[in-house]
Amino acid sequence: MLLIGFYNENALGIKYLSNALQKAGYEPKILYFKKFNSINPKSATDIEIKLLLDLIKEVKPSYIGMSVMASLYLESVYMVTNAVKQNFDIPIIWGGVYSTLFPEKALDYADYVIRGEGEEAFVELLDFLKSDGDISSILNLAYKNKYNEVVINDIRPLKERLDELGYPEIGGEGKYFIYNNIISQGDPQLKDMVYEMSASRGCPFACSYCCSISLKRIYTNKGKYVRFRSVESVINELLEAKKRIKNLKAIHFWDEIFSDDPKWIDEFKIRYKKDIGIPFKIWGHPLKINKYTIDALVEAGLYQIVVGIQSGSLRVRKDVFNRTESQEKIIESSRILSDAGVPRVIYDFMLQHPFENTEDLIDTYNLCIQLKHPFELQIHGLNFLPGTDIVKKAVRKGFFTKEQLEKIMYSNMQQQYDMYWGTERLDKNTDDSAWISLIYLTQFPKLRPLVELLASEVKKGNSGKVVLTLKKIMSRAKMLKSLTEKAKLVIRKR
Ligand code: B12
Ligand code: SF4
């Protein structure tokens, strides 16, 4: 079995599957195909495809499993799948979030699709294929029957005890990495300074721009969706990481929302501090930030938290994004984070989308000036991801036709990234452009008086005059921010 992960050299899904296959007696190999790049990803090159085909010739897998986690990288997934089909007669199995939400589309390329969490279903499918068994009863499987009709089987109940899944192998044999037209052998994780892991599965929230709620719907009546590993299991994984990764400097917990269960947190604080003691980063949510949890996590070694706020407009948050937190709760969270002394607090915003008007940007500015320093802002655009509720909302509102949105969501990766992270849109409306700059500048405490002065000018209708000044300040501020980030990285490397 050759497992392929795309644009993610530490792909957790692939690692868990490999674990499950090994336990069942298979000898999976893993290929990490290209590196994670959220700014300027490039599609696969001819050389990279050739390296992949050569690897398949060498490894001679009986099956190839591909993890199609994000639709932004579909272009390369199609290229790889087509190249394999043209050159070999090896069954291809797709899994991951995209395949889970769009099994019919996935079956245009793959021979089999496993939907949802795949550890058990994948092993079962391989066992059945090996023994020529009847696959029609395998839960989570989607396939085409002999009449070429798509069959989508029911989903099995969620695994309640995550500890039973173990944790990914770190290092080990049979790991390959293709990147920048070069293939290398060995687990890329071993050379990394950061260890990436997850202490839970599932998210309790239902944001309209995220796939989480769509995944949750698939699991209706299939057990608890949000599940946590035991602290013991998390610490054991980290002890292993410490032992194996020589240059380990930080841990990234990729839990959608880190635990705020007091019992779990108490145990984690003690064990992490005593046994691991390496700075760690988490994702947070304003509704899950409380003093008790954050103080304990800082004591344990929390050095960075990324909190999604997404908009300072209550209207956009509630009616568009389906997020229920109030302005007061967000401001209180920022106070808790600041008082607890979290070294890096990053707030995520998604601005400049068709649902938003200038009033919403002013609300966002007004919220940002109330957030307690120190904090940094990450300002993104809004990605329309296939299978999310916001896609339907955008069509209902008439911002796009269904066809236009399909075209956007399935365009090549460069176009998709340019569309949402490009600067072109900033130049169109001087008021909006001024407010976006002012929002960005609220993260710099020393600029506060100037920012407030400029904001009052924009409110008076002088945005044209202010925009030029803002452009100059913005470029210096961005430079300063990038220098500070580099300095922090150097300090961490030491
Ligand atoms: C953690 C995470 C990340 C981390 C990944 C860290 C890592 N080391 O892997 C980081 C921050 C790097 C990341 C990046 C991105 N992410 Co992300 N990420 C997630 C998140 C929250 C959890 C993923 C995870 O690790 N789950 C735990 C593992 C064990 O589960 P899993 O990956 O789903 O794998 C299981 C099954 O899917 C299945 N399976 C998976 N692959 C295969 C393959 C086969 C053959 C089989 C049989 C089964 C199978 O079995 C696995 C084990 O049970 C998901 C949300 C979610 N609920 O999935 C978003 C999510 C997958 N990400 C998303 C996006 C958009 C991205 C980015 C494009 C963001 C960006 N703009 O750059 C990139 C793309 C990365 C990539 N190359 O695909 C979207 C994808 C939606 C879509 N339609 O495209 C999601 C769904 C969140 C959302 N907004 O809705 N992400
Ligand atoms: S909190 Fe994050 S992971 Fe959860 S639904 Fe919202 S965006 Fe998705």
Side-chain angles (χ1 to χ4, degrees):
M1 162 60 65
L2 177 66
L3 294 167
I4 306 179
F6 293 88
Y7 294 85
N8 184 353
E9 65 278 23
N10 286 320
L12 291 170
I14 284 283
K15 291 183 181 190
Y16 272 98
L17 288 174
S18 169
N19 215 20
L21 290 170
Q22 281 182 22
K23 271 197 218 153
Y26 293 92
E27 290 173 18
K29 312 257 188 275
I30 299 183
L31 168 65
Y32 297 101
F33 191 78
K34 298 185 71 75
K35 209 174 175 147
F36 174 55
N37 184 338
S38 67
I39 294 164
N40 187 16
K42 298 261 182 290
S43 55
T45 64
D46 292 345
I47 299 177
E48 286 164 344
I49 296 286
K50 164 101 176 39
L51 289 170
L52 169 104
L53 296 176
D54 289 347
L55 178 71
I56 296 175
K57 269 182 214 146
E58 184 192 320
V59 170
K60 298 189 185 66
S62 309
Y63 304 98
I64 295 182
M66 297 187 194
S67 184
V68 192
M69 175 175 163
S71 47
L72 274 95
Y73 300 91
L74 277 176
E75 189 191 5
S76 285
V77 179
Y78 295 152
M79 278 167 84
V80 166
T81 309
N82 290 337
V84 172
K85 278 188 170 170
Q86 278 156 19
N87 290 279
F88 304 95
D89 184 20
I90 304 175
I92 294 176
I93 302 129
W94 276 19
V97 174
Y98 176 76
S99 324
T100 299
L101 298 179
F102 297 96
E104 283 105 339
K105 287 190 185 190
L107 283 168
D108 286 341
Y109 293 85
D111 299 294
Y112 304 98
V113 166
I114 297 287
R115 299 170 70 222
E117 294 178 10
E119 285 89 346
E120 287 175 353
F122 197 23
V123 168
E124 216 174 297
L125 174 67
L126 294 189
D127 287 349
F128 273 58
L129 290 176
K130 211 169 61 179
S131 59
D132 248 343
D134 173 18
I135 58 165
S136 64
S137 60
I138 299 178
L139 295 174
N140 299 48
L141 179 70
Y143 63 100
K144 280 187 179 161
N145 65 15
K146 59 181 177 190
Y147 309 108
N148 211 27
E149 295 159 341
V150 170
V151 179
I152 300 174
N153 287 351
D154 195 8
I155 294 275
R156 69 192 62 213
L158 283 162
K159 192 137 197 95
E160 205 179 320
R161 294 168 186 269
L162 291 184
D163 285 7
E164 285 171 15
L165 297 173
Y167 45 84
E169 183 184 21
I170 304 167
E173 298 290 304
K175 313 284 188 306
Y176 306 87
F177 182 31
I178 290 180
Y179 175 58
N180 247 349
N181 294 333
I182 292 171
I183 183 161
S184 53
Q185 208 166 338
D187 184 352
Q189 176 70 81
L190 291 180
K191 290 189 192 141
D192 213 332
M193 293 194 310
V194 172
Y195 183 69
E196 304 187 21
M197 64 173 294
S198 186
S200 64
R201 286 191 185 179
C203 174
F205 299 108
C207 306
S208 63
Y209 50 82
C210 176
C211 293
S212 186
I213 181 66
S214 315
L215 294 170
K216 199 172 176 179
R217 285 183 193 127
I218 287 173
Y219 284 112
T220 306
N221 299 326
K222 300 289 176 188
K224 221 165 116 200
Y225 184 57
V226 182
R227 291 143 296 151
F228 294 92
R229 288 166 61 186
S230 68
V231 171
E232 179 70 15
S233 157
V234 170
I235 297 295
N236 284 342
E237 175 174 354
L238 286 170
L239 285 171
E240 186 79 18
K242 260 180 94 170
K243 204 161 70 192
R244 293 188 159 261
I245 305 169
K246 282 202 202 89
N247 209 11
L248 186 60
K249 292 280 185 286
I251 309 296
H252 285 187
F253 285 100
W254 288 131
D255 304 77
E256 280 107 318
I257 306 293
F258 201 76
S259 171
D260 65 340
D261 173 58
K263 235 174 103 202
W264 197 96
I265 290 289
D266 284 346
E267 192 187 343
F268 176 80
K269 176 179 83 178
I270 295 165
R271 293 288 312 272
Y272 192 93
K273 217 169 125 184
K274 181 167 133 298
D275 298 332
I276 311 301
I278 295 171
F280 66 94
K281 159 184 167 173
I282 62 168
W283 280 333
H285 189 290
L287 290 176
K288 290 278 178 185
I289 290 173
N290 62 70
K291 185 172 159 39
Y292 189 82
T293 306
I294 299 298
D295 283 349
L297 291 178
V298 169
E299 204 184 320
L302 176 69
Y303 84 96
Q304 186 181 131
I305 183 166
V306 181
V307 183
I309 297 179
Q310 315 309 0
S311 173
S313 153
L314 193 63
R315 180 193 76 84
V316 171
R317 277 205 315 279
K318 207 162 152 274
D319 300 348
V320 182
F321 291 163
N322 199 28
R323 293 181 65 110
T324 57
E325 56 277 20
S326 64
Q327 307 293 80
E328 294 70 31
K329 180 64 195 141
I330 295 173
I331 296 163
E332 187 203 322
S333 304
S334 95
R335 210 171 297 128
I336 292 172
L337 295 172
S338 171
D339 292 350
V342 181
R344 268 189 100 177
V345 178
I346 298 175
Y347 296 118
D348 261 346
F349 281 88
M350 294 191 302
L351 304 180
Q352 282 228 308
H353 45 77
F355 296 93
E356 184 181 60
N357 57 41
T358 308
E359 280 308 307
D360 297 316
L361 284 174
I362 298 175
D363 286 350
T364 301
Y365 168 79
N366 287 335
L367 179 80
C368 286
I369 50 167
Q370 295 180 72
L371 299 175
K372 201 164 169 198
H373 285 118
F375 66 85
E376 294 165 48
L377 295 182
Q378 273 178 179
I379 300 182
H380 308 276
L382 165 66
N383 264 74
F384 286 97
L385 298 170
T388 53
D389 290 354
I390 204 160
V391 169
K392 284 172 244 151
K393 277 191 195 199
V395 174
R396 260 200 320 266
K397 286 261 175 200
F399 297 136
F400 304 96
T401 62
K402 208 170 157 232
E403 293 68 34
Q404 278 169 329
L405 256 187
E406 288 269 311
K407 209 170 152 209
I408 293 174
M409 292 187 301
Y410 292 101
S411 58
N412 75 40
M413 65 180 88
Q414 196 56 59
Q415 283 165 339
Q416 289 196 57
Y417 275 91
D418 287 350
M419 210 133 25
Y420 306 112
W421 285 285
T423 50
E424 181 199 315
R425 300 174 59 185
L426 277 177
D427 298 328
K428 287 190 185 147
N429 176 324
T430 45
D431 264 17
D432 286 5
S433 164
W435 285 117
I436 302 252
S437 302
L438 289 165
I439 291 165
Y440 180 82
L441 293 172
T442 57
Q443 63 188 303
F444 303 100
K446 286 201 175 132
L447 293 179
R448 254 314 151 75
L450 178 61
V451 168
E452 287 184 32
L453 186 79
L454 293 172
S456 67
E457 284 299 313
V458 180
K459 276 182 194 157
K460 281 185 218 153
N462 295 331
S463 59
K465 265 203 293 188
V466 168
V467 159
L468 262 178
T469 319
L470 276 172
K471 267 195 180 147
K472 279 189 207 146
I473 310 174
M474 279 287 281
S475 71
R476 285 202 201 135
K478 277 185 179 160
M479 204 164 72
L480 184 77
K481 196 175 171 196
S482 111
L483 284 175
T484 320
E485 269 163 24
K486 278 185 193 144
K488 279 180 186 157
L489 203 72
V490 172
I491 295 167
R492 251 209 340 265
K493 273 187 190 168
R494 285 188 186 143

